[in-house]
Amino acid sequence: KKMNVAVIGGGGAAGLAATRILSRHGHHHNKIESITVLEKDNDTGGIWRHVENDETKPMYRGLRTNLPRELMAFREKPWGGDGISDSYVTHKAVNSYLQEYATDFDLKRHISFGCTVTQLTILDDEPNVPKIIGDDDDDISCSKIALTWKDDSSSTSTTKEFDAVLICNGHYAAPFIPSLPGMNEHFHGQVLHSIQYDDPNVFTDKTVLCVGGRASGSDLAREISHVAKKVYLSDSTCSVWSEDDEKKGR
C-alpha cells in the first residue's frame, strides 16, 4: 500500500531534509502516494529567516553560525570548503543556502505555506500500513493520524488523515523563563528572554546581566558589551576559577 505522509514545519532545515528524503524515496521505491508539507511561515528558511524585532524566533541581526558551514551542509549540496571564504557565516547566508536547496530539488511544490497545525490525533490502534524508510523488507504497523490545520490566508481549517507524520518544527519556539525568587519585588528594570533580542543598541549605556553562558548567552553578552555601560555574564555550569588556573594557563 502506498502511503500519504505529512511533514509539520517543512520550511526549515529539518523539514526540507525530510521532504527531500520522502520525495526521493517515493520516486525510487514507489511507496508514497502523496507528501503534504505544512509550514506556518510564508517562505522557507525556518529560524534562519530573520525578521527584525520578531520575538518568535531565536534569531538576531548580528548572529553568525557557531559551526562551520562545511559541517552544516546537506550531503547532496556541499557548501564551502574552498579555503578562502568564511566558514562561519551569517544567518542570511544560511537562509540563502536553504532557499537554494529547496529550489535545486523542487521541494516547494510539496509545501503549503501559511498553514498552522492546530491538532494531531491518533485515530485508532488498528495497524494499517508498513514502514516506508529502511532497506529491509520487514514490516511494522502503525495507526492512522488525523491532522487539522488553519490556512492563514483564508482562515479556513482543513482536516485530513495520514499514514505517517514527521514533526520537524524544531525546539526553539517556546522560551523557558525560570522563576527567580524576589525578582518582581526587588528588580524594576527590563527583563528579556534571548528570543526577544535583536539589536544590541537598545542596551546603550545600560548595566546588563546575561543569565546563561552557553552559545546564546555568551554571544549576546559579547555583542551588548560594545555599547553597554557594563555587562555581567552569569553561568552556573562553569567551574570555579582560581589564581592557580591563571598560573597554569587555563
Side-chain angles (χ1 to χ4, degrees):
K1 177 183 176 180
K2 293 184 179 181
M3 302 184 70
N4 296 307
V5 184
V7 179
I8 300 176
L16 291 174
T19 303
R20 169 58 181 157
I21 293 297
L22 289 170
S23 61
R24 187 178 64 191
H25 190 86
H27 175 73
H28 292 305
H29 299 277
N30 198 30
K31 289 186 177 182
I32 298 177
E33 182 70 28
S34 68
I35 305 170
T36 301
V37 184
L38 304 169
E39 169 57 51
K40 66 179 180 63
D41 288 342
N42 295 316
D43 204 349
T44 55
I47 62 170
W48 296 100
R49 194 171 69 88
H50 173 254
V51 178
E52 287 190 5
N53 301 312
D54 183 356
E55 297 185 358
T56 65
K57 295 180 180 180
M59 187 57 56
Y60 45 96
R61 62 189 65 185
L63 183 140
R64 300 182 76 90
T65 62
N66 59 356
L67 288 174
R69 59 177 175 165
E70 291 82 359
L71 295 182
M72 297 175 65
F74 296 120
R75 182 180 299 177
E76 293 180 300
K77 187 175 174 60
W79 193 23
D82 57 14
I84 301 174
S85 55
D86 290 338
S87 289
Y88 297 88
V89 296
T90 66
H91 55 75
K92 291 182 180 179
V94 179
N95 184 43
S96 295
Y97 173 82
L98 294 175
Q99 294 275 358
E100 292 175 5
Y101 181 77
T103 299
D104 289 351
F105 297 104
D106 196 20
L107 302 180
K108 287 189 177 183
R109 63 189 173 94
H110 299 291
I111 305 176
S112 296
F113 293 104
C115 291
T116 302
V117 176
T118 57
Q119 183 69 39
L120 182 153
T121 305
I122 299 177
L123 296 179
D124 55 52
D125 294 324
E126 294 295 327
N128 55 77
V129 293
K131 66 179 180 179
I132 60 171
I133 302 298
D135 296 326
D136 55 62
D137 295 325
D138 296 331
D139 291 343
I140 60 173
S141 299
C142 57
S143 300
K144 288 276 189 178
I145 299 172
L147 284 184
T148 300
W149 64 89
K150 180 181 178 182
D151 188 330
D152 296 339
S153 63
S154 61
S155 298
T156 58
S157 290
T158 302
T159 299
K160 185 178 178 180
E161 293 183 12
F162 296 95
D163 299 303
V165 175
L166 283 71
I167 301 175
C168 302
N169 62 321
H171 55 273
Y172 293 111
F176 172 69
I177 302 177
S179 176
L180 300 177
M183 172 69 77
N184 295 332
E185 294 83 1
H186 303 294
F187 182 73
H188 304 291
Q190 185 181 22
V191 179
L192 294 174
H193 188 276
S194 59
I195 199 172
Q196 299 171 277
Y197 173 85
D198 191 44
D199 181 8
N201 291 309
V202 300
F203 300 102
T204 298
D205 296 329
K206 295 183 178 181
T207 299
V208 181
L209 169 65
C210 291
V211 180
R214 294 302 178 93
S216 295
S218 58
D219 198 37
L220 266 59
R222 177 193 59 81
E223 279 199 358
I224 295 171
S225 68
H226 294 296
V227 297
K229 179 180 180 181
K230 184 165 288 190
V231 175
Y232 296 91
L233 179 61
S234 172
D235 183 9
S236 62
T237 64
C238 288
S239 58
V240 177
W241 179 85
S242 67
E243 291 184 1
D244 289 338
D245 292 323
E246 184 178 21
K247 293 177 181 178
K248 295 177 181 178
R250 295 178 182 172

